[in-house]
Each structure stands twice: as C-alpha cells, then as structure tokens.
Amino acid sequence: MQPLIFLSVRSFINAVRRALTSGKRMVTLIFAVIYYGWLVFRPIGGSNAPASFNNTAGFATTPIVVDAVIFAVFAFMSLMLSLTLVTPRAGFRQADVDVLFATPVSPKIVMFFRMFRDYLATLISPFLLALFGGRFSFHFAKRFFIGMHADGPLAIRLAMLAWFMMALAWVCIGYGIGFFTNRSDLAADKNKKVIDTAFVVVVAGTILYLLVNIVKSPTSQTAISIAESPFIRVVFFTATAASWMVVGALRGEIAYMVLGFSVLLAVAGFGIRMAISQLPFMYDQAAVKGFGSSERRMLQRNNDIYGLSAQRARDGKFKVGRFSRWIGKKKVSGAAALIWKEVLLQSRASPLLYLFFGSVLLLMMMPVLTLERDSRRSLVTMTGLSMFFMQGIGVLMLTMNSAISGYIELLKRVDFQKPLPFRPAGTVFWEVASKCIPNVLIAGFASLVVIALRPILWQYSIASELFVIGLSLVVSATVFLVTIAFPDAGDASQRGFRGILILLGTLVCGLPGFGTLALLLSVFHLSPIVSIVPTTIVNIGVALGVSFFAGGLYDSYNPSE
C-alpha cells in the first residue's frame, strides 16, 4: 500500500508544480483566490444586505415540497455520477503497465486503492461548488433545513452522509461495470453495447416522460407529482434512497433512514463484488488498453473527435451507420462538395454527441414550455428572450466543440484540399458554414417543438433560429481564424492560449450582432421577427469578413513549417 500512496502523492505534487510554472494556470489561480476572498469571506448579512440574508426563519413550504426538492438535488447528482457507466473509471495508463504492475502488489489492493482515490475525488466535487458559491450556499441550506424543522441539524448531517453513500455506490458500480465491459473478448464488447444502449434508452425515456407531463400541465404541482412518480423514483433509485435518509430525519421516521442507508450500502456491495469477480482480467485489460490510452488522451486534450473515431476504427470498434452510407453514395461537385465532406465526417465521428446535445437542449427548453397560453405580454417577452439565451448558449458550446475538432482535421488534410480549384476565402467560408449545419438543424428542431406546443411564442421561435444561424457562423469563423493562426495542436501552451483567444475573439466578433439586436429590441421596440433580420445580416457579414481574412492565412499555411 505504501508504494501506491507514495506514487499518488508524488503525482499530485508534480501536478501542482507544473500548474505553478504555467502562466495561464497561475492567472486562473489568482482569479480564483480573489473570487474566493471576495465572495466567501465578505459579510452576508448587515444593513446593506438583502432582507432575506438577515432572516433566519425557514422557507414557507410543505413536507411534500421539501421531499421533492431534496429528491431533485440527489437525482441531478445521480445523473452526473451515472455517466461512469458509459465512460468507465477502470482505465489504465502506459505507466501503470510499465511500473505499477511489475511491483509485488496484490491486484485487489491496487483496485481498492484506485477505487478509494476516485471516491475521494467524487466526494469533493459538490463541496467545491458549494464553497465557490459563497456563504450564500451555506445560508440557503441553513434556512432550508434548520429554520424549517427542529430536526434540521440532523437532516444536514444525514444529507452529507447520504451523499457519501450515493457517491460510494456509483464509484463501486462504475468500477464493476468498467472491468466487466473492458475485457478483451467479443462478449465484453457486446455487453458494453447493451449497457450503453440501455443507458441511452433510459435517459431518452426519462426526458420524454418529463416533456409530456410538463407540456400537459405546466404547474408547480406537476413538478411535485413528477418527483413523486414511481417511474422517476425507480430510474433514480440511488437518489430515492438518499432522499429517504434525509426525509426520514425531518419526519422522525427511523425506518426511512435505515432503509435508504441499506439500499445504498447494498448497491455499493454489489459493485465491489462485481469488480472483485473481474480481477483476474484486470492486468490483461491494462496490457491491451494501457498502451493505446496515451494516444487517446492526447486526442481528447486536442478535442480531436475525428482522430478518436479513426482510433476506434483501427481497434475494430467502429461501425458505419445507414445515414453515413447514404451520404457516401451521393455525388456532389463544386463548393457543395466541401459541405458534403463535412456532413459525412460528422455523421461518422460524432452522432452520439449531437444526440446528447439535442436532448440537453430540449431539457433546457422545458421552462419555456411552462408558459400559459393566455399569459401577459411581458411574461411572453421574458420567456422568449430566455429562449434566445438558452439556444444561444447551447449552440455556442456545440459550435466551438465541433469547429475545433473539424479544423484540426482540416489542417491534417491541407495538402489534399488546397490544390482544389477554389479560392482560399471561398474554401474557408464553406468550411465555416459546413461546421454549423448540425447545430442549426438541432436548434431548428427545438424551435419547431416550441411552436407546436406553445404557438404564442412563434415569433421568438423563428427569430431564435435565425439568430442561431448568424451566431453559429460567427463562432465557427472565429475558431478557424484562431486555429489557422496557432495551428500546432500538439503544443500544450499553444493549445491553452488558443482557447483563450477563441473566447475573446467570439466576444469581439459577436458584439456587433448582439448590439444590433439589443438596440432594435430595447430602443426601437421592434418585434422579434423584424429585429432579427438585420441582426442576422450583421452576423453573416462579420463571418464573411473573418473568413476573408482567414483565407489569406490559409493560403500561406504550410504544414511542414
């Protein structure tokens, strides 16, 4: 055990030293310390604070609402932890194969040590969020529990214990399933496909269930009934057990507390037993997968989705879908061939990414669907603007992700593509536009859903889709300009600097469009449809200008230099 502890401590110390020698990370650390000192240590009460901060009374709520809120919090945590089912924890690096597995240490000790290390990292994450949320986080918890019930202090302690047990359960299950699906045989590959498919089906079914119920009756009582429904309680069974521990303390029912604790303990025990049963295959997994993990981690750091797909194809774990085969049979000429090429690559490399993003975007749009059909005009306006914001943030993140990986692939193939009979600026613009197609289609589907379910928001739905088109073009063009200016994807310092410039460039290039929209809506009080047309024209003009400037850099780019 001592060599494992020494290895982890030295790895942590070396990571801290590397962080302190990086200018980018030092700036991040300084800003984090300043933020912590301002937000956490500043007084939360006083004469200048809101009245709610000086009020120590509890929230005016009912036990059933408290139960629903507690379950919702644990359900969200449970959803985040369940991602380990599709991204297993039980991975090994090349250094583990070369050094660690050659030492006389029992495989069981290695597994339990790694499990304990990941368990500690999992425990810390929500407390860091609460810590950087400032004293308001603790003040809110105090008012929610202590001011509401005499057993509030006990409920807080049991909430922490419930989190400890739920995190332990998911870490153990993650290791058990990780060892089970990473074995080097065909049965393990089939099991992994079954588990991934089941996870996607459950998540999609849950989203559909939430969407149908909220659209049918968009009220707070519906939200409470959803939290109490047997289907949701079974899907988030670990959250149900964790909420039983807390609610049992508030209700004074010891049986609930014991039952919740027992369920989580049984799940953790099942995961440990499953992981131990796969121990004979652990070193075999490390030997087979450890040497390829370094290359995969490098591709992940570079956000090279296409490179990861190529790696999966070399490992024999890539299957071309029907849509990709259909696209591949099409014959396209001219500039449209550049769009055809990008659609084909994206359909092969990241279909699950776009499926996940579409699901998340629909979840983000659910508050919009709670708008009543006979709502006031001011409420309709606020809801429509929030729709702009949610779609804009979602498309912004997805465009950045797809554009970065797409342009890395473009620079790899520059020797093949530059001789094509297209002007450099034209090639750049069509590459920029091709990266936006999936994002615009997903946002358009979300807008159609809103129009179908809430026709009162039809203007904002159409306007948000036009807004997304212009915004996606601006973001994609900005990412290309920064990428072609700093093209070395393997340089860690250049990669970090490139990320900062992408954020700053997006802010600068997006200001004309945002300013035009804000001016037309707030000053001239025009309708969303009328306001979005000149905004989209401005965004397209900015994208064309950035593409024209980047075309010169692309024309002079030489990958051998």
Side-chain angles (χ1 to χ4, degrees):
M1 181 65 74
Q2 289 182 354
L4 297 176
I5 297 176
F6 173 79
L7 179 63
S8 298
V9 171
R10 295 307 307 176
S11 298
F12 177 77
I13 293 175
N14 292 336
V16 172
R17 288 177 176 174
R18 286 194 299 269
L20 294 179
T21 56
S22 171
K24 171 177 171 284
R25 293 171 180 168
M26 278 294 296
V27 171
T28 304
L29 179 63
I30 292 172
F31 274 103
V33 171
I34 294 175
Y35 173 83
Y36 180 82
W38 172 75
L39 189 60
V40 178
F41 289 111
R42 68 189 180 99
I44 196 169
S47 57
N48 295 327
S52 59
F53 284 168
N54 296 317
N55 182 15
T56 58
F59 293 107
T61 185
T62 60
I64 191 172
V65 174
V66 174
D67 188 8
V69 171
I70 293 173
F71 171 76
V73 173
F74 280 120
F76 176 76
M77 294 180 176
S78 179
L79 179 62
M80 295 297 102
L81 293 175
S82 66
L83 295 177
T84 56
L85 298 180
V86 293
T87 54
R89 297 176 181 270
F92 295 95
R93 296 175 297 179
Q94 183 176 346
D96 296 325
V97 182
D98 292 337
V99 180
L100 181 61
F101 295 155
T103 59
V105 181
S106 170
K108 187 179 294 186
I109 294 178
V110 173
M111 185 198 71
F112 278 113
F113 181 81
R114 290 169 61 90
M115 192 178 293
F116 179 73
R117 183 189 63 187
D118 288 350
Y119 176 57
L120 289 181
T122 304
L123 289 180
I124 293 174
S125 53
F127 292 103
L128 288 177
L129 293 176
L131 187 66
F132 281 92
R135 294 180 63 189
F136 176 78
S137 302
F138 302 100
H139 185 77
F140 178 85
K142 182 178 179 181
R143 287 187 60 198
F144 189 80
F145 286 111
I146 298 178
M148 180 192 61
H149 200 280
D151 291 330
L154 177 61
I156 291 179
R157 296 186 183 94
L158 284 176
M160 297 177 63
L161 177 61
W163 164 244
F164 293 161
M165 293 302 301
M166 190 173 73
L168 176 63
W170 280 110
V171 168
C172 295
I173 286 293
Y175 266 87
I177 293 180
F179 284 134
F180 181 67
T181 57
N182 278 336
R183 286 169 17 187
S184 302
D185 52 49
L186 296 177
D189 294 339
K190 182 179 179 180
N191 294 332
K192 181 174 176 57
K193 291 179 181 178
V194 170
I195 291 175
D196 291 349
T197 303
F199 180 81
V200 172
V201 169
V202 170
V203 171
T206 304
I207 293 174
L208 182 62
Y209 178 83
L210 295 174
L211 185 63
V212 170
N213 283 273
I214 290 178
V215 170
K216 185 185 299 182
S217 178
T219 61
S220 58
Q221 188 61 38
T222 300
I224 295 174
S225 63
I226 289 175
E228 296 292 332
S229 68
F231 173 75
I232 295 297
R233 291 282 177 161
V234 170
V235 170
F236 297 98
F237 62 97
T238 55
T240 301
S243 64
W244 282 348
M245 294 178 62
V246 183
V247 173
L250 295 176
R251 296 179 179 176
E253 299 179 2
I254 300 178
Y256 264 96
M257 294 186 287
V258 174
L259 180 60
F261 181 85
S262 301
V263 169
L264 294 175
L265 186 62
V267 173
F270 173 77
I272 292 175
R273 183 178 179 85
M274 187 177 182
I276 292 177
S277 68
Q278 304 298 314
L279 272 179
F281 303 96
M282 186 176 71
Y283 284 1
D284 176 62
Q285 293 177 28
V288 173
K289 301 179 182 297
F291 288 95
S293 62
S294 299
E295 183 178 356
R296 285 193 294 270
R297 286 192 178 92
M298 180 59 68
L299 293 173
Q300 289 173 351
R301 292 193 193 101
N302 296 337
N303 199 27
D304 191 355
I305 299 176
Y306 301 103
L308 288 171
S309 299
Q311 182 70 28
R312 289 176 55 223
R314 286 189 290 268
D315 294 339
K317 295 184 177 181
F318 184 84
K319 183 178 180 181
V320 178
R322 294 181 180 178
F323 181 75
S324 298
R325 290 196 296 267
W326 180 77
I327 290 291
K329 294 178 181 178
K330 301 297 179 181
K331 296 182 179 179
V332 185
S333 60
L338 298 176
I339 297 180
W340 170 86
K341 179 263 300 182
E342 186 62 29
V343 172
L344 179 62
L345 289 176
Q346 292 182 357
S347 65
R348 290 182 175 181
S350 52
L352 291 180
L353 174 65
Y354 295 117
L355 179 63
F356 175 76
F357 171 75
S359 302
V360 171
L361 186 59
L362 286 177
L363 281 176
M364 293 172 62
M365 301 293 287
M366 280 187 179
V368 175
L369 301 179
T370 61
L371 182 69
E372 298 288 348
R373 290 176 171 82
D374 55 349
S375 300
R376 301 188 309 272
R377 182 176 179 180
S378 59
L379 184 59
V380 173
T381 301
M382 291 179 59
T383 306
L385 293 178
S386 67
M387 182 178 173
F388 269 81
F389 175 77
M390 288 183 289
Q391 282 206 346
I393 290 296
V395 170
L396 175 68
M397 293 187 296
L398 184 62
T399 303
M400 281 188 178
N401 184 77
S402 60
I404 290 173
S405 58
Y407 295 140
I408 291 175
E409 182 69 17
L410 172 64
L411 296 183
K412 292 179 182 178
R413 307 288 182 261
V414 68
D415 289 337
F416 167 77
Q417 192 160 321
K418 284 183 71 173
L420 296 178
F422 304 120
R423 293 184 178 181
T427 300
V428 170
F429 179 77
W430 288 116
E431 286 287 344
V432 166
S434 64
K435 305 298 185 295
C436 306
I437 293 177
N439 318 332
V440 172
L441 292 178
I442 292 174
F445 174 75
S447 297
L448 290 176
V449 170
V450 174
I451 292 176
L453 299 177
R454 289 294 179 270
I456 194 174
L457 292 172
W458 70 271
Q459 288 196 54
Y460 290 96
S461 299
I462 297 175
S464 64
E465 175 63 15
L466 294 176
F467 175 73
V468 160
I469 293 174
L471 176 64
S472 187
L473 286 171
V474 169
V475 174
S476 182
T478 304
V479 172
F480 183 85
L481 176 61
V482 175
T483 303
I484 198 65
F486 301 94
D488 191 357
D491 188 351
S493 60
Q494 194 173 119
R495 183 170 61 244
F497 185 65
R498 186 167 57 241
I500 296 175
L501 286 183
I502 287 175
L503 294 177
L504 292 177
T506 302
L507 177 63
V508 172
C509 295
L511 278 178
F514 279 106
T516 302
L517 181 62
L519 181 68
L520 296 176
L521 287 177
S522 60
V523 177
F524 294 97
H525 303 287
L526 299 178
S527 66
I529 293 291
V530 176
S531 301
I532 204 62
V533 173
T535 301
T536 304
I537 294 175
V538 170
N539 283 330
I540 293 176
V542 171
L544 285 171
V546 175
S547 301
F548 179 80
F549 181 75
L553 298 178
Y554 175 75
D555 188 36
S556 60
Y557 174 70
N558 186 355
S560 62
E561 293 180 355

